[in-house]
Amino acid sequence: MTEAAELPPVPEQARDVFGDRYADAVRYAELLAEAGVKRGLIGPREVPRLWERHLLNCAVLSEVVPEGVTVCDVGSGAGLPGIPLALVREDLKITLLEPLLRRTNFLTEVVELLGLDHVTVVRGRAEEVMGKMPPVHVVTARAVAPLDRLATWGVPLLRPYGEMLALKGDTAEEELKAAAAALSKLGAVETSILHVGEGVVDPMSTVVRVEVGESPGGVRFAAKRAKAARTGRARRRRG
């Protein structure tokens, strides 16, 4: 049996980034290094770089998330980027969407332990909750799928004029070019690549931003959503 990797010292930047939630961020890092590894949510090789590569890398996404909006973290996994984002932005209402039971169990435990009252854990796939979950202002994702496939899951969850923020690596530009046609069909009106976390993470985190118009998910899904809304209103009237 291999020995568990040791969690590295907390970087000084973490105090500035997490502020009053610094102690909770440290506890979350410990949970990832212990229960997260034991339950197979992260690999043991990730433990030595948990802070720079995972917690801080995700927390700086807050730089480009508008104030007071609703957020859905698609394929949240062990809570990245949703939980670091929640720790630094208590003004947000965040849903952690994850299909696997062992992951949602872990997420629920973390949310309760850290007292993240503005976070909700939902078990399911994005395509299953479309039309059932209220549309959100912002969809976030990290290491879930190539951009074209990710967009088919995430964009339909947005409300009109919302945006998807996907943390990507060196392939961001290539993925964006390859996904251009698919994004257009899904109702995207503008795309851009942002770099966040200057002075906090090196290299800075790369974010692909996909902004949608009045029909997130495309015309076809807009019609489906309108039909669901009409059905809902009819049921309420009958009730």
Side-chain angles (χ1 to χ4, degrees):
M1 183 184 291
T2 57
E3 288 187 17
E6 188 175 339
L7 191 63
V10 184
E12 201 58 43
Q13 301 96 308
R15 292 186 180 275
D16 295 328
V17 171
F18 290 103
D20 293 342
R21 286 284 195 168
Y22 169 76
D24 290 326
V26 172
R27 184 67 187 116
Y28 177 49
E30 292 169 349
L31 288 167
L32 287 174
E34 297 161 7
V37 171
K38 286 178 183 174
R39 299 190 197 182
L41 303 182
I42 67 165
R45 292 182 181 178
E46 295 304 309
V47 174
R49 48 188 185 178
L50 263 181
W51 283 103
E52 285 84 358
R53 185 180 173 89
H54 298 288
L55 273 77
L56 290 173
N57 180 276
C58 290
V60 296
L61 182 63
S62 65
E63 294 177 18
V64 290
V65 178
E67 286 187 22
V69 298
T70 52
V71 178
C72 181
D73 188 32
V74 173
S76 195
L80 301 163
I83 288 178
L85 183 61
L87 287 169
V88 297
R89 293 288 301 277
E90 294 192 41
D91 59 301
L92 305 174
K93 294 289 185 185
I94 300 177
T95 298
L96 306 179
L97 182 62
E98 169 56 46
L100 294 184
L101 180 60
R102 62 189 170 90
R103 292 176 180 169
T104 54
N105 285 343
F106 175 79
L107 293 173
T108 301
E109 290 166 19
V110 171
V111 166
E112 291 176 356
L113 185 66
L114 302 185
L116 298 174
D117 298 332
H118 57 306
V119 178
T120 303
V121 178
V122 173
R123 185 185 176 198
R125 299 182 184 279
E127 56 268 37
E128 294 169 349
V129 301
M130 288 175 189
K132 299 176 184 176
M133 196 174 81
V136 296
H137 297 91
V138 177
V139 162
T140 59
R142 178 179 187 252
V144 174
L147 188 61
D148 55 351
R149 200 176 343 141
L150 172 62
T152 64
W153 302 330
V155 170
L157 299 177
L158 292 169
R159 52 190 288 167
Y161 307 103
E163 59 187 300
M164 184 175 74
L165 300 171
L167 280 161
K168 289 288 181 179
D170 298 336
T171 62
E173 195 168 335
E174 290 82 356
E175 283 193 49
L176 191 52
K177 286 179 182 176
L183 291 173
S184 180
K185 287 180 182 177
L186 287 165
V189 295
E190 192 168 335
T191 60
S192 53
I193 294 177
L194 313 172
H195 298 283
V196 295
E198 185 175 6
V200 178
V201 287
D202 185 20
M204 292 193 291
S205 300
T206 301
V207 181
V208 174
R209 173 188 269 162
V210 177
E211 300 171 73
V212 300
E214 61 184 17
S215 299
V219 176
R220 186 172 158 190
F221 189 74
K224 180 180 175 184
R225 185 161 42 216
K227 182 179 178 183
R230 287 194 301 273
T231 303
R233 285 195 297 271
R235 283 175 181 161
R236 285 195 292 274
R237 281 197 298 269
R238 287 197 300 270

